[in-house]
Amino acid sequence: SWESNEDATVWTFHLPEGIKCHDGSDFTAEDVKFSWERTIEAGALAYVFAMVDTIEVIDPQTVQINLSYPYRMDANAANSWGPYLMCKNVADKPPEWFAEGNENGVGPYMIESFEPGQRMVLTKFEDWIGGWPEGSFDKVVIEIVEDPAVRVQKLAGGEADIAWGVPYDSFDQLNATDHMTALAIPAFQQLQWHFNMRRAPLDDVRVRQALAHTFPYEDAAFGTFGGAGAVAEGAVPRVQWEPPVKTSTYEYDLDKAAALLEEAGVAEGTEVRLGVEVNAVEEIKTAELWQAELAKVGIDLIIEKISAGTRWDEVYNPETDFNIMQMHMIIGFDSPHEYLGSLWHSGWTWYPFSGFDSEEFNALTEEAP
């Protein structure tokens, strides 16, 4: 349970007694304090804890969070990015220990085995505080399948119960089976293409504007995404938040793009490198649509299909040679702050590829919550 003071700057969380770590040790308020302070010190996902001033242990079952300004800390504590809890008795383990599939959490399932690049097997943790009702799954097998087509085959054939990353053009195939229905629902997510503002030619705002005017918005939303997509009207999806005024957006306009490129002195045949994850089907198709449009204004878009690991290395490399990087933004909880501060506040961002840095924007982002 939890409660806060009247102005929501002091939050007190009460842990139930009897929470066990997967190694059998007790999980207490000390572990909560350790976990969150460790994340804050690391600077990872800094926006999640930007409002936290101090964390105090009141007793083994009670932890108090003191904030520097009012915030929905109850919702933030359930954020799917950042406020992870771990048992501090494994804090000194090296990264290799975790990479081998070792862990020490408190959740309902624990890792039984892990084969990198192939599968992970989870088994139920008998001492889980939530209890085990009849009919619960004893094991969960997570197969790592790179090829989206194979994922669809496994799902359609009954070999898989759940599949992530199912291409939209496979919906008809899945709906033709007698045991499933595939549908799309509005989602708190957005496909974004981040421009590297530190490297020519995208260090010129006119070039960035030109590229924005060449993007085939309608074709991507209603073609690549099978009619399930919507053209974005700003950085926050409208399914989440409708602003009181209409925001400015870019429209497909090749003439305007060509004029901007000419004004910026961009030569015919200029190459622009775009990075996209190798198994991101819709993103690759969208990049190919964009490639064809850019060719019409003399820009040669080089699409490089890279692994997820390579993509993240490049995102955090300020000297990267990539000009554009694909990113699918999914929020941790319902707040415009999640989209804006987490991506473009220069001190908080977990996706610093673009190099965007504005003191005015930073100040507004800090003031808004």
Side-chain angles (χ1 to χ4, degrees):
S1 63
W2 59 89
E3 67 269 352
S4 73
N5 63 351
E6 275 193 31
D7 67 357
T9 57
V10 178
W11 290 82
T12 306
F13 292 89
H14 306 279
L15 281 64
E17 293 190 17
I19 302 180
K20 294 291 184 182
C21 299
H22 290 165
D23 67 355
S25 61
D26 292 327
F27 181 88
T28 70
E30 290 284 355
D31 295 285
V32 176
K33 176 180 170 67
F34 161 77
S35 297
W36 285 6
E37 288 184 345
R38 174 179 177 269
T39 303
I40 291 169
E41 184 179 350
L45 297 164
Y47 73 97
V48 175
F49 293 104
M51 71 297 298
V52 174
D53 185 16
T54 59
I55 302 173
E56 299 178 50
V57 171
I58 307 303
D59 60 49
Q61 259 59 57
T62 310
V63 61
Q64 180 176 299
I65 317 298
N66 303 304
L67 308 183
S68 54
Y69 52 81
Y71 205 75
R72 294 181 293 157
M73 202 60 197
D74 51 349
N76 202 25
N79 196 322
S80 52
W81 314 120
Y84 311 125
L85 299 174
M86 64 185 289
C87 301
K88 67 177 184 177
N89 55 10
V90 294
D92 60 347
K93 299 293 185 183
E96 295 78 19
W97 186 82
F98 293 98
E100 290 169 359
N102 296 300
E103 51 87 19
N104 197 26
V106 297
Y109 291 91
M110 54 193 296
I111 298 175
E112 179 181 289
S113 63
F114 176 55
E115 300 169 60
Q118 297 184 59
R119 69 184 55 79
M120 177 181 283
V121 179
L122 308 178
T123 188
K124 73 176 185 180
F125 178 48
E126 297 289 353
D127 293 328
W128 181 48
I129 192 74
W132 287 98
E134 187 176 346
S136 300
F137 296 112
D138 292 330
K139 290 188 187 298
V140 178
V141 180
I142 302 171
E143 298 281 352
I144 301 169
V145 180
E146 291 283 353
D147 188 339
V150 176
R151 286 185 228 139
V152 173
Q153 290 171 5
K154 285 180 173 287
L155 197 60
E159 295 177 63
D161 298 295
I162 301 170
W164 174 87
V166 174
Y168 288 85
D169 60 12
S170 66
F171 277 26
D172 289 345
Q173 176 187 346
L174 294 171
N175 283 325
T177 67
D178 58 4
H179 62 277
M180 65 168 44
T181 300
L183 59 127
I185 60 172
F188 295 109
Q189 59 181 312
Q190 187 178 73
L191 173 59
Q192 301 175 349
W193 302 93
H194 285 236
F195 291 166
N196 182 355
M197 305 189 341
R198 293 165 293 199
R199 185 175 181 82
L202 271 65
D203 56 344
D204 187 321
V205 66
R206 294 168 296 184
V207 178
R208 299 196 298 272
Q209 291 169 341
L211 265 60
H213 281 302
T214 64
F215 193 84
Y217 298 99
E218 298 292 330
D219 289 345
F222 302 105
T224 304
F225 289 91
V231 179
E233 297 179 57
V236 182
R238 292 302 182 260
V239 67
Q240 181 191 12
W241 180 60
E242 188 73 40
V245 295
K246 183 171 176 58
T247 52
S248 61
T249 56
Y250 285 94
E251 294 181 349
Y252 174 78
D253 188 333
L254 291 187
D255 290 337
K256 187 175 289 187
L260 284 163
L261 291 171
E262 183 178 358
E263 182 183 322
V266 177
E268 180 91 12
T270 294
E271 291 188 354
V272 172
R273 291 182 68 207
L274 178 148
V276 59
E277 282 190 29
V278 66
N279 60 351
V281 177
E282 281 83 20
E283 286 86 341
I284 292 171
K285 288 181 179 177
T286 302
E288 290 170 347
L289 288 174
W290 196 8
Q291 183 182 51
E293 299 305 319
L294 282 167
K296 297 174 184 177
V297 293
I299 297 293
D300 184 9
L301 184 66
I302 309 299
I303 301 170
E304 298 194 27
K305 302 170 189 176
I306 54 181
S307 69
T310 300
R311 184 171 75 92
W312 282 108
D313 287 343
E314 295 297 336
V315 164
Y316 282 91
N317 174 16
E319 305 299 323
T320 180
D321 290 334
F322 281 96
N323 303 104
I324 307 173
M325 194 66 71
Q326 153 256 333
M327 202 272 282
H328 227 126
M329 177 60 180
I330 305 173
I331 60 169
F333 85 107
D334 185 15
S335 164
H337 181 50
E338 287 274 298
Y339 276 98
L340 302 177
S342 70
L343 284 177
W344 294 295
H345 185 296
S346 60
W348 297 349
T349 180
W350 54 270
Y351 205 88
F353 176 83
S354 69
F356 180 75
D357 186 4
S358 163
E359 289 185 9
E360 181 185 8
F361 180 84
N362 287 353
L364 285 169
T365 309
E366 292 165 17
E367 181 186 347

